[in-house]
Amino acid sequence: MTQVLHSTDASVAQIPPEVEASRRSWARKRRMSRLEQVGLGIGVPIALIGIWELASAIGWIDPIFFPSPSTVADRAWKDAANGTLAGDLGTALRLTLVRLLIGFAIGTVAGLIIGLAMGTVRAVRFGLGPLVSATYPMPKIAVLPLLLVLLGIGDASKIALIAIGVFFMVALNTLSGVLYSSPLHHDVARAFGFSRPLYYRYVVIPSAMPSILTGIRLGIGQALILVVSVEFVSSNDGLGYFIWNAWQILDVPRMFVGLAVVLVLGALAAWLGDLAERRLVPWAKR
Amino acid sequence: MTTPQAHPGTTTSIDMPNATARSEDHRSVADVRHLTKVYFTRAGDPLLALSDISLTLHRGEVLALIGPSGCGKSTFLRILAGLDDDYQGDISWRRGSEQGRPVSATVFQQESLFPWLTVEQNLDVALRALGCAKPVRIERTTSYLELAGLGEFLKAYPHELSGGMRQRACVARALATEPLVLLMDEPFAALDAQTRVVMQQELGALLERVDACVLYVTHDLEEALTMGDRVALMGARPGRIKYTVDTDRQGMTRDDVMGIRSRPEFGEQVRDLWNRLAVEVGGNLRRHA
């Protein structure tokens, strides 16, 4: 049967020798386009930092509030050498990461469960839909006072706030992933008599997976925003407090060091998201 | 989720001892009696989609169902596939001694493999749904994919295959469940003309080897006359069986697609069927105008 489809006769169809040159140019083009992508991604931020450095050196911007990048780097280097960076910033980072990860985990699990339930059970969708839509656009930091009353001023209220922010992102994206998955795949499951566990494991979750991952990536961003915000207003430790405290004592270079760490966390999260996507949805076209 | 073993239509009966008395035909695997399907429009008005369809499907027979587009072919197939259990009438499946086989398995018009599973896993999960034990699943997955000419692509993902190969994998998936009736809903309509003929040859060869009852829905007259042992013509609005004819391949096997089509009798059958179909298509157009 297959012979009919693949009946290329090797003696007739020879790859011409000139192809080597065109293969080289094809490989060069591919390399260049990859180089271009990475180069621009790194080059543009470096150029902007260069402009900032230059503007600071010429005196276009106030070095008190906008210290030059070299000043900030120099400060980070000195603090690292005398151990204060590892001490202060290390502790702050550790506390923030614990809040971030616990809140993120709780919010993701809750969002997945509620999102899947809303996507597959009509009663749940109709019952919770209006409530979720109404509460979603509210700035999450606005419920902090309520959480403080309910959970106290410790880590619990901060973790809860982060979890809420992540929950909405994951739940809403999971829901739309389930609702907009191909009806054909659901028909296949029905026509072949899938049991409920098989249906969830092999149809519902995989078909919603690209959207679930989008929700998780947006959730990480939310978590980062919320953890720093809540540490600004209601904490005496963590990265947010580190930044806010540096600002209050007008130690601006130190503030920029804190901001740089938040930046690196964001980049790291985005990279992990890419990695997860490549592993979990290998069939999706990029 | 419904199980394919028993589509939960209110009046569906499976091998009820007394029900078999209605038909003496021991070759029959499914009896459709007075099947009627009504849709409701947005305004709540009833719309007759299928009207009083009676049809018997026989063991080892390919029944090709043709008709103008919108005549309810797909609606009929969805009901038989267990995807729609809201109908009037009676469908009875005659399983005989073959308990454990699903009554039907479907090859859909569009590619319907799960893109997140390999070809092998796509078949495996369908067999798990039937409750097959692992050795049986492995044996059937391998043998049916080999039968479909995909023996070397067990571990491939659907997006790594050509459109024709994906559709062959869908045929293998449906056959692997060893259903009483294989339902095919315009399986090659999405393929280009040349690939379609090749696929017809390959499916023809496959059907010569497996003794399945197939209900083959198509809008292609030549395909219907090449693949079918019997051709049923459906009329539109409401959908009903207008005409049934036995095809005669004069000893040629189904995979000899061009051989069958080059006989003068084939041309006459096409013309005859076209004249009957044209009345339906024309009537349908006039009603729309």
Side-chain angles (χ1 to χ4, degrees), chain B residues 201-281:
Chain B
Q201 288 173 347
E202 299 195 352
L203 181 69
L206 202 66
L207 292 179
E208 296 291 333
R209 272 181 280 170
V210 297
D211 187 32
C213 168
V214 182
L215 180 61
Y216 194 102
V217 168
T218 177
H219 57 230
D220 182 339
L221 284 179
E222 302 196 345
E223 186 171 88
L225 284 167
T226 316
M227 306 303 289
D229 296 306
R230 209 157 39 115
V231 177
L233 173 68
M234 247 176 116
R237 289 172 186 274
R240 68 211 125 149
I241 307 287
K242 279 291 183 74
Y243 175 71
T244 312
V245 61
D246 287 320
T247 56
D248 179 12
R249 278 190 291 277
Q250 292 182 331
M252 287 195 227
T253 52
R254 250 183 284 267
D255 53 331
D256 188 4
V257 172
M258 287 309 165
I260 294 169
R261 290 184 184 178
S262 56
R263 288 183 305 118
E265 298 91 328
F266 184 84
E268 280 162 31
Q269 263 193 325
V270 171
R271 196 175 323 123
D272 174 54
L273 215 50
W274 168 248
N275 287 337
R276 291 169 192 276
L277 183 64
V279 176
E280 294 302 322
V281 177

Coordinates of all heavy atoms in Angstrom, one line a residue, chain B residues 201-281:
Chain B
Q201 N -8.1 3.8 -3.3 CA -7.4 2.5 -3.6 C -7.0 1.8 -2.3 O -7.3 0.6 -2.1 CB -6.2 2.7 -4.4 CG -6.5 3.1 -5.9 CD -5.3 3.5 -6.6 OE1 -4.2 3.7 -6.1 NE2 -5.4 3.6 -8.0
E202 N -6.4 2.5 -1.4 CA -5.9 1.9 -0.2 C -7.0 1.5 0.7 O -7.0 0.4 1.3 CB -5.0 2.9 0.6 CG -3.8 3.3 -0.3 CD -2.7 4.0 0.5 OE1 -2.9 4.3 1.7 OE2 -1.6 4.2 -0.1
L203 N -8.0 2.3 0.9 CA -9.2 1.9 1.7 C -9.9 0.7 1.1 O -10.3 -0.3 1.8 CB -10.2 3.0 1.9 CG -11.4 2.7 2.7 CD1 -11.0 2.5 4.2 CD2 -12.5 3.8 2.6
G204 N -10.0 0.7 -0.3 CA -10.6 -0.4 -1.0 C -9.8 -1.7 -0.7 O -10.4 -2.7 -0.3
A205 N -8.5 -1.7 -0.7 CA -7.7 -2.8 -0.4 C -7.9 -3.3 1.0 O -8.0 -4.5 1.3 CB -6.2 -2.5 -0.6
L206 N -8.0 -2.3 1.9 CA -8.2 -2.6 3.3 C -9.6 -3.3 3.6 O -9.7 -4.2 4.3 CB -8.2 -1.3 4.1 CG -7.8 -1.3 5.6 CD1 -6.4 -1.8 5.8 CD2 -8.0 0.1 6.2
L207 N -10.6 -2.7 2.9 CA -11.9 -3.3 3.1 C -12.1 -4.7 2.5 O -12.9 -5.5 2.9 CB -13.0 -2.3 2.5 CG -13.1 -1.0 3.1 CD1 -14.2 -0.1 2.4 CD2 -13.5 -1.2 4.6
E208 N -11.2 -5.0 1.5 CA -11.3 -6.3 0.9 C -10.8 -7.3 2.0 O -11.1 -8.5 2.0 CB -10.4 -6.5 -0.3 CG -10.8 -5.6 -1.5 CD -12.1 -6.1 -2.1 OE1 -12.4 -7.3 -2.0 OE2 -12.8 -5.3 -2.7
R209 N -9.9 -6.8 2.9 CA -9.3 -7.7 3.9 C -10.0 -7.8 5.2 O -10.0 -8.8 5.9 CB -7.8 -7.3 4.2 CG -6.8 -7.9 3.2 CD -5.4 -7.4 3.5 NE -5.2 -6.1 3.0 CZ -4.1 -5.4 3.2 NH1 -3.2 -5.9 4.1 NH2 -3.9 -4.2 2.7
V210 N -10.7 -6.8 5.6 CA -11.4 -6.9 6.8 C -12.9 -7.0 6.5 O -13.4 -6.3 5.6 CB -11.2 -5.6 7.8 CG1 -9.8 -5.5 8.2 CG2 -11.7 -4.4 7.1
D211 N -13.6 -7.8 7.2 CA -15.0 -8.2 6.9 C -15.9 -7.3 7.8 O -16.6 -7.8 8.6 CB -15.2 -9.6 7.2 CG -16.6 -10.1 6.8 OD1 -17.0 -9.5 5.8 OD2 -17.1 -10.9 7.5
A212 N -15.8 -6.0 7.5 CA -16.6 -5.1 8.3 C -17.8 -4.5 7.6 O -17.8 -4.5 6.3 CB -15.7 -3.9 8.8
C213 N -18.8 -4.2 8.3 CA -19.9 -3.5 7.7 C -19.6 -2.0 7.7 O -19.2 -1.4 8.8 CB -21.2 -3.7 8.5 SG -22.6 -2.7 8.0
V214 N -19.7 -1.3 6.6 CA -19.3 0.1 6.5 C -20.5 0.9 6.0 O -21.1 0.6 5.0 CB -18.1 0.3 5.5 CG1 -17.7 1.7 5.5 CG2 -16.9 -0.6 6.0
L215 N -20.7 2.0 6.7 CA -21.7 3.0 6.1 C -20.8 4.2 5.7 O -20.2 4.8 6.5 CB -22.7 3.4 7.2 CG -23.7 4.5 6.7 CD1 -24.5 3.9 5.5 CD2 -24.6 4.9 7.8
Y216 N -20.8 4.4 4.4 CA -19.8 5.3 3.8 C -20.6 6.5 3.2 O -21.3 6.4 2.2 CB -19.1 4.6 2.7 CG -17.9 5.3 2.2 CD1 -16.6 4.8 2.6 CD2 -17.9 6.3 1.3 CE1 -15.5 5.5 2.1 CE2 -16.8 7.0 0.8 CZ -15.6 6.5 1.2 OH -14.4 7.1 0.8
V217 N -20.5 7.7 3.9 CA -21.2 8.9 3.5 C -20.3 9.7 2.5 O -19.1 9.9 2.9 CB -21.6 9.7 4.7 CG1 -22.1 11.1 4.2 CG2 -22.8 9.1 5.4
T218 N -20.8 10.1 1.4 CA -20.0 10.8 0.5 C -20.9 11.7 -0.4 O -22.1 11.5 -0.5 CB -19.1 9.9 -0.4 OG1 -18.4 10.7 -1.4 CG2 -20.0 8.9 -1.2
H219 N -20.3 12.7 -1.0 CA -21.2 13.4 -2.0 C -20.6 13.2 -3.4 O -21.0 13.9 -4.3 CB -21.3 14.9 -1.7 CG -19.9 15.6 -1.6 ND1 -19.6 16.4 -0.5 CD2 -18.9 15.6 -2.4 CE1 -18.4 16.8 -0.7 NE2 -17.9 16.3 -1.8
D220 N -19.7 12.3 -3.5 CA -19.0 12.0 -4.7 C -19.6 10.7 -5.3 O -19.4 9.6 -4.8 CB -17.5 11.8 -4.4 CG -16.7 11.6 -5.6 OD1 -17.2 11.1 -6.7 OD2 -15.4 11.8 -5.6
L221 N -20.3 10.9 -6.4 CA -21.0 9.8 -7.1 C -20.1 8.6 -7.4 O -20.4 7.5 -7.2 CB -21.7 10.2 -8.4 CG -23.0 11.1 -8.2 CD1 -23.5 11.4 -9.6 CD2 -24.0 10.2 -7.5
E222 N -18.9 9.0 -8.0 CA -18.0 8.0 -8.5 C -17.4 7.2 -7.3 O -17.2 6.0 -7.4 CB -16.9 8.6 -9.3 CG -17.5 9.3 -10.5 CD -16.4 9.6 -11.6 OE1 -15.2 9.5 -11.3 OE2 -16.8 10.0 -12.7
E223 N -17.1 8.0 -6.2 CA -16.6 7.3 -5.0 C -17.7 6.3 -4.5 O -17.3 5.2 -4.1 CB -16.3 8.4 -4.0 CG -15.6 7.8 -2.8 CD -15.1 9.0 -1.8 OE1 -15.9 9.4 -1.0 OE2 -13.9 9.3 -2.0
A224 N -18.9 6.8 -4.5 CA -20.0 5.9 -3.9 C -20.1 4.6 -4.7 O -20.2 3.5 -4.2 CB -21.3 6.7 -4.0
L225 N -20.0 4.7 -6.1 CA -20.2 3.6 -6.9 C -18.9 2.7 -6.9 O -19.0 1.5 -7.2 CB -20.5 4.0 -8.3 CG -21.9 4.5 -8.5 CD1 -22.1 5.2 -9.9 CD2 -22.9 3.3 -8.5
T226 N -17.8 3.3 -6.6 CA -16.5 2.5 -6.5 C -16.5 1.7 -5.2 O -16.1 0.5 -5.2 CB -15.3 3.4 -6.6 OG1 -15.5 4.3 -7.7 CG2 -14.1 2.6 -6.9
M227 N -16.8 2.4 -4.1 CA -16.6 1.8 -2.8 C -17.8 1.0 -2.3 O -17.6 0.0 -1.6 CB -16.3 2.9 -1.7 CG -15.2 3.9 -2.0 SD -13.6 3.1 -2.3 CE -13.3 2.6 -0.6
G228 N -18.9 1.3 -2.8 CA -20.1 0.7 -2.2 C -20.5 -0.6 -2.9 O -20.3 -0.8 -4.1
D229 N -21.1 -1.5 -2.1 CA -21.8 -2.7 -2.6 C -23.2 -2.3 -3.0 O -23.8 -2.8 -3.9 CB -21.8 -3.8 -1.6 CG -20.4 -4.3 -1.3 OD1 -19.7 -4.6 -2.2 OD2 -20.0 -4.3 -0.1
R230 N -23.6 -1.3 -2.2 CA -25.0 -0.8 -2.4 C -24.9 0.7 -2.3 O -24.1 1.2 -1.5 CB -25.9 -1.4 -1.3 CG -27.3 -1.5 -1.6 CD -28.0 -2.5 -0.7 NE -27.7 -2.5 0.7 CZ -28.5 -2.2 1.6 NH1 -29.7 -1.8 1.4 NH2 -28.1 -2.3 2.9
V231 N -25.7 1.4 -3.0 CA -25.7 2.9 -2.9 C -27.1 3.3 -2.6 O -28.1 2.9 -3.2 CB -25.2 3.6 -4.2 CG1 -25.3 5.1 -4.1 CG2 -23.8 3.2 -4.6
A232 N -27.2 4.1 -1.5 CA -28.5 4.7 -1.2 C -28.5 6.2 -1.4 O -27.5 6.9 -1.1 CB -28.8 4.4 0.3
L233 N -29.5 6.7 -2.1 CA -29.6 8.1 -2.5 C -30.5 8.8 -1.5 O -31.7 8.3 -1.3 CB -30.1 8.2 -3.9 CG -30.4 9.6 -4.4 CD1 -29.1 10.4 -4.5 CD2 -31.0 9.6 -5.8
M234 N -30.1 9.8 -0.9 CA -30.9 10.5 0.1 C -31.4 11.8 -0.6 O -30.7 12.5 -1.3 CB -30.1 10.9 1.3 CG -30.5 10.2 2.6 SD -29.4 10.6 3.9 CE -30.6 11.5 5.0
G235 N -32.7 12.1 -0.3 CA -33.3 13.3 -0.8 C -33.2 14.4 0.3 O -33.1 14.0 1.5
A236 N -33.4 15.6 -0.1 CA -33.2 16.7 0.9 C -34.6 17.2 1.4 O -35.6 17.2 0.7 CB -32.4 17.8 0.3
R237 N -34.5 17.8 2.6 CA -35.6 18.6 3.2 C -37.0 18.0 3.0 O -37.8 18.4 2.2 CB -35.6 20.0 2.6 CG -34.4 20.7 3.1 CD -34.2 22.0 2.4 NE -32.9 22.6 2.9 CZ -32.8 23.4 4.0 NH1 -33.9 23.7 4.7 NH2 -31.7 23.8 4.4
P238 N -37.4 17.1 3.8 CA -36.6 16.4 4.8 C -35.7 15.3 4.2 O -36.1 14.8 3.2 CB -37.6 15.9 5.8 CG -38.8 15.5 4.8 CD -38.7 16.6 3.8
G239 N -34.7 14.9 5.0 CA -33.8 13.9 4.5 C -34.5 12.5 4.6 O -35.1 12.2 5.6
R240 N -34.5 11.8 3.4 CA -35.1 10.4 3.5 C -34.5 9.7 2.3 O -33.9 10.2 1.4 CB -36.6 10.5 3.3 CG -37.1 11.0 2.0 CD -38.4 11.7 2.1 NE -38.2 13.0 1.5 CZ -39.1 13.7 0.9 NH1 -40.3 13.3 0.9 NH2 -38.9 14.9 0.3
I241 N -34.5 8.3 2.4 CA -33.9 7.5 1.4 C -34.9 7.5 0.2 O -36.0 7.1 0.3 CB -33.7 6.1 1.9 CG1 -33.0 6.1 3.2 CG2 -33.1 5.2 0.9 CD1 -31.5 6.4 3.2
K242 N -34.3 7.9 -1.0 CA -35.2 8.0 -2.2 C -35.0 6.8 -3.0 O -35.9 6.4 -3.8 CB -34.7 9.2 -3.0 CG -35.3 10.5 -2.5 CD -36.8 10.6 -2.7 CE -37.5 11.9 -2.3 NZ -37.2 13.0 -3.2
Y243 N -33.8 6.2 -3.0 CA -33.5 5.2 -4.0 C -32.3 4.3 -3.6 O -31.4 4.9 -3.0 CB -33.2 5.9 -5.3 CG -32.7 5.1 -6.5 CD1 -33.6 4.3 -7.2 CD2 -31.4 5.1 -6.9 CE1 -33.2 3.5 -8.2 CE2 -31.0 4.3 -8.0 CZ -31.9 3.5 -8.6 OH -31.5 2.8 -9.7
T244 N -32.4 3.1 -3.8 CA -31.3 2.2 -3.4 C -30.9 1.3 -4.6 O -31.8 0.8 -5.3 CB -31.6 1.3 -2.2 OG1 -32.2 2.1 -1.2 CG2 -30.4 0.6 -1.7
V245 N -29.6 1.2 -4.9 CA -29.2 0.4 -6.0 C -28.0 -0.5 -5.7 O -27.1 0.0 -4.9 CB -28.9 1.3 -7.3 CG1 -27.8 2.2 -7.0 CG2 -28.6 0.4 -8.5
D246 N -27.9 -1.7 -6.1 CA -26.8 -2.5 -5.9 C -25.7 -2.2 -7.0 O -26.1 -2.0 -8.2 CB -27.1 -4.0 -6.1 CG -27.9 -4.5 -4.8 OD1 -27.6 -4.1 -3.7 OD2 -28.9 -5.2 -5.0
T247 N -24.5 -2.1 -6.6 CA -23.5 -1.9 -7.6 C -22.9 -3.2 -8.1 O -23.0 -4.2 -7.4 CB -22.3 -1.1 -7.1 OG1 -21.8 -1.7 -5.9 CG2 -22.8 0.3 -6.7
D248 N -22.4 -3.2 -9.3 CA -21.8 -4.5 -9.8 C -20.4 -4.2 -10.3 O -20.2 -3.5 -11.3 CB -22.7 -5.0 -11.0 CG -22.2 -6.3 -11.6 OD1 -21.3 -6.9 -10.9 OD2 -22.6 -6.6 -12.6
R249 N -19.4 -4.7 -9.5 CA -18.0 -4.5 -9.9 C -17.5 -5.6 -10.9 O -16.4 -5.6 -11.3 CB -17.1 -4.4 -8.7 CG -17.2 -3.1 -8.0 CD -16.1 -3.0 -7.0 NE -16.4 -3.8 -5.8 CZ -17.3 -3.4 -4.8 NH1 -17.8 -2.2 -4.9 NH2 -17.6 -4.2 -3.9
Q250 N -18.4 -6.6 -11.2 CA -18.0 -7.7 -12.1 C -16.7 -8.3 -11.7 O -15.8 -8.5 -12.5 CB -18.0 -7.2 -13.5 CG -19.4 -6.8 -14.0 CD -19.4 -6.4 -15.4 OE1 -18.4 -5.8 -15.9 NE2 -20.5 -6.5 -16.1
G251 N -16.6 -8.7 -10.4 CA -15.4 -9.4 -10.0 C -14.2 -8.6 -9.7 O -13.2 -9.1 -9.2
M252 N -14.2 -7.3 -10.0 CA -13.0 -6.5 -9.7 C -13.0 -6.1 -8.2 O -14.1 -6.0 -7.6 CB -13.1 -5.2 -10.5 CG -12.8 -5.4 -12.0 SD -12.5 -3.8 -12.7 CE -13.5 -3.9 -14.2
T253 N -11.8 -6.1 -7.7 CA -11.7 -5.7 -6.3 C -11.8 -4.1 -6.2 O -11.5 -3.4 -7.1 CB -10.4 -6.2 -5.6 OG1 -9.3 -5.8 -6.4 CG2 -10.5 -7.7 -5.5
R254 N -12.2 -3.7 -5.0 CA -12.4 -2.3 -4.8 C -11.2 -1.4 -5.0 O -11.3 -0.2 -5.4 CB -12.9 -2.1 -3.3 CG -14.3 -1.7 -3.2 CD -14.6 -1.4 -1.7 NE -14.7 -2.7 -1.0 CZ -15.9 -3.3 -0.8 NH1 -17.0 -2.8 -1.3 NH2 -15.9 -4.5 -0.2
D255 N -10.0 -2.0 -4.8 CA -8.8 -1.1 -4.9 C -8.4 -0.9 -6.3 O -7.6 0.0 -6.6 CB -7.6 -1.8 -4.1 CG -7.4 -3.2 -4.6 OD1 -8.4 -3.9 -5.0 OD2 -6.2 -3.6 -4.5
D256 N -9.1 -1.6 -7.3 CA -8.9 -1.3 -8.7 C -9.7 -0.1 -9.1 O -10.6 -0.3 -10.0 CB -9.1 -2.5 -9.5 CG -8.7 -2.4 -11.0 OD1 -8.1 -1.3 -11.3 OD2 -9.0 -3.3 -11.8
V257 N -9.5 1.0 -8.5 CA -10.4 2.2 -8.7 C -10.6 2.6 -10.2 O -11.7 2.7 -10.7 CB -9.9 3.4 -7.9 CG1 -10.7 4.6 -8.2 CG2 -10.0 3.1 -6.4
M258 N -9.4 2.7 -10.9 CA -9.5 3.1 -12.2 C -10.1 2.1 -13.2 O -10.8 2.4 -14.1 CB -8.1 3.6 -12.7 CG -7.7 4.9 -12.1 SD -8.9 6.1 -12.3 CE -8.4 7.4 -11.2
G259 N -9.8 0.8 -12.8 CA -10.4 -0.3 -13.6 C -11.9 -0.3 -13.5 O -12.6 -0.4 -14.6
I260 N -12.4 -0.1 -12.3 CA -13.9 -0.1 -12.1 C -14.5 1.1 -12.9 O -15.5 0.9 -13.6 CB -14.2 0.0 -10.6 CG1 -13.8 -1.2 -9.9 CG2 -15.7 0.3 -10.4 CD1 -13.8 -1.1 -8.4
R261 N -13.8 2.2 -12.8 CA -14.4 3.4 -13.4 C -14.3 3.4 -14.9 O -15.0 4.2 -15.6 CB -13.7 4.6 -12.8 CG -14.0 4.8 -11.4 CD -13.5 6.1 -10.8 NE -13.8 6.1 -9.4 CZ -13.4 7.0 -8.5 NH1 -12.7 8.0 -9.0 NH2 -13.8 7.0 -7.3
S262 N -13.4 2.6 -15.5 CA -13.2 2.7 -17.0 C -14.2 1.8 -17.7 O -14.3 1.8 -18.9 CB -11.8 2.3 -17.3 OG -11.4 1.1 -16.8
R263 N -15.0 1.0 -17.0 CA -16.0 0.2 -17.7 C -17.2 1.0 -18.1 O -17.6 2.0 -17.4 CB -16.6 -0.9 -16.7 CG -15.6 -2.0 -16.4 CD -16.2 -3.1 -15.5 NE -16.7 -2.5 -14.3 CZ -18.0 -2.5 -13.9 NH1 -18.9 -3.1 -14.7 NH2 -18.4 -1.9 -12.8
P264 N -17.7 0.7 -19.3 CA -18.9 1.5 -19.8 C -20.1 1.5 -18.9 O -20.8 2.5 -18.7 CB -19.2 0.9 -21.2 CG -18.4 -0.3 -21.3 CD -17.3 -0.3 -20.3
E265 N -20.3 0.3 -18.2 CA -21.4 0.2 -17.3 C -21.3 1.1 -16.2 O -22.3 1.6 -15.7 CB -21.5 -1.3 -16.8 CG -21.7 -2.3 -17.8 CD -20.4 -2.9 -18.3 OE1 -19.4 -2.1 -18.3 OE2 -20.4 -4.1 -18.6
F266 N -20.1 1.4 -15.8 CA -19.9 2.3 -14.7 C -20.4 3.7 -15.0 O -21.1 4.4 -14.3 CB -18.4 2.4 -14.3 CG -18.1 3.2 -13.1 CD1 -18.2 2.7 -11.8 CD2 -17.7 4.6 -13.2 CE1 -18.0 3.5 -10.7 CE2 -17.4 5.3 -12.1 CZ -17.6 4.8 -10.9
G267 N -20.1 4.1 -16.3 CA -20.5 5.4 -16.7 C -22.0 5.5 -16.8 O -22.6 6.5 -16.4
E268 N -22.7 4.4 -17.2 CA -24.1 4.4 -17.2 C -24.7 4.6 -15.8 O -25.7 5.3 -15.6 CB -24.6 3.2 -17.9 CG -24.6 3.2 -19.4 CD -24.6 1.8 -20.0 OE1 -25.3 1.0 -19.4 OE2 -24.0 1.6 -21.1
Q269 N -24.1 3.8 -14.9 CA -24.6 3.9 -13.5 C -24.4 5.3 -12.9 O -25.3 5.8 -12.3 CB -23.9 2.9 -12.6 CG -24.7 1.6 -12.5 CD -24.2 0.7 -11.4 OE1 -23.0 0.7 -11.1 NE2 -25.1 0.0 -10.7
V270 N -23.3 5.9 -13.3 CA -23.0 7.3 -12.8 C -24.1 8.2 -13.4 O -24.7 9.0 -12.6 CB -21.6 7.8 -13.2 CG1 -21.5 9.3 -12.9 CG2 -20.5 7.0 -12.5
R271 N -24.4 8.1 -14.7 CA -25.3 9.0 -15.3 C -26.7 8.8 -14.7 O -27.4 9.7 -14.4 CB -25.4 8.7 -16.8 CG -26.1 9.9 -17.6 CD -26.0 9.7 -19.1 NE -24.7 9.2 -19.5 CZ -24.7 8.0 -20.3 NH1 -25.7 7.4 -20.6 NH2 -23.5 7.6 -20.7
D272 N -27.1 7.5 -14.5 CA -28.4 7.2 -14.0 C -28.6 7.8 -12.6 O -29.6 8.5 -12.2 CB -28.6 5.7 -13.9 CG -29.9 5.4 -13.2 OD1 -31.0 5.9 -13.6 OD2 -29.9 4.6 -12.2
L273 N -27.5 7.6 -11.8 CA -27.5 8.1 -10.4 C -27.5 9.7 -10.4 O -28.2 10.3 -9.6 CB -26.3 7.6 -9.6 CG -26.5 7.3 -8.1 CD1 -27.7 6.4 -7.9 CD2 -25.2 6.6 -7.6
W274 N -26.8 10.2 -11.3 CA -26.7 11.7 -11.4 C -28.1 12.3 -11.7 O -28.5 13.3 -11.1 CB -25.7 12.2 -12.4 CG -25.8 13.6 -12.7 CD1 -26.2 14.2 -13.9 CD2 -25.6 14.7 -11.8 NE1 -26.2 15.6 -13.8 CE2 -25.9 15.9 -12.5 CE3 -25.2 14.8 -10.4 CZ2 -25.8 17.1 -11.9 CZ3 -25.2 16.0 -9.8 CH2 -25.4 17.2 -10.6
N275 N -28.8 11.6 -12.7 CA -30.1 12.1 -13.1 C -31.1 12.1 -11.9 O -31.8 13.1 -11.7 CB -30.7 11.3 -14.2 CG -30.0 11.6 -15.5 OD1 -29.4 12.6 -15.7 ND2 -30.0 10.6 -16.4
R276 N -30.9 11.1 -11.1 CA -31.8 11.1 -9.9 C -31.4 12.1 -8.8 O -32.2 12.7 -8.2 CB -31.7 9.7 -9.2 CG -32.4 8.6 -10.1 CD -32.0 7.2 -9.6 NE -32.4 6.2 -10.5 CZ -33.7 5.7 -10.7 NH1 -34.6 6.1 -9.9 NH2 -33.9 4.8 -11.6
L277 N -30.0 12.3 -8.7 CA -29.5 13.2 -7.7 C -29.8 14.6 -8.1 O -30.2 15.5 -7.3 CB -28.0 13.0 -7.5 CG -27.3 13.8 -6.5 CD1 -27.8 13.5 -5.1 CD2 -25.8 13.6 -6.5
A278 N -29.7 14.9 -9.4 CA -29.9 16.3 -9.9 C -31.3 16.8 -9.6 O -31.5 17.9 -9.3 CB -29.7 16.3 -11.5
V279 N -32.3 15.9 -9.6 CA -33.7 16.2 -9.3 C -33.7 16.8 -7.8 O -34.3 17.8 -7.5 CB -34.6 15.0 -9.4 CG1 -36.0 15.4 -8.9 CG2 -34.6 14.5 -10.8
E280 N -32.9 16.1 -7.0 CA -32.9 16.5 -5.6 C -32.2 17.8 -5.4 O -32.6 18.7 -4.7 CB -32.2 15.4 -4.7 CG -33.0 14.1 -4.7 CD -34.4 14.2 -4.1 OE1 -34.5 15.0 -3.2 OE2 -35.3 13.6 -4.6
V281 N -31.0 17.9 -6.0 CA -30.2 19.1 -5.9 C -31.0 20.3 -6.4 O -31.1 21.3 -5.8 CB -28.8 19.0 -6.6 CG1 -28.1 20.3 -6.5 CG2 -28.0 17.8 -6.0

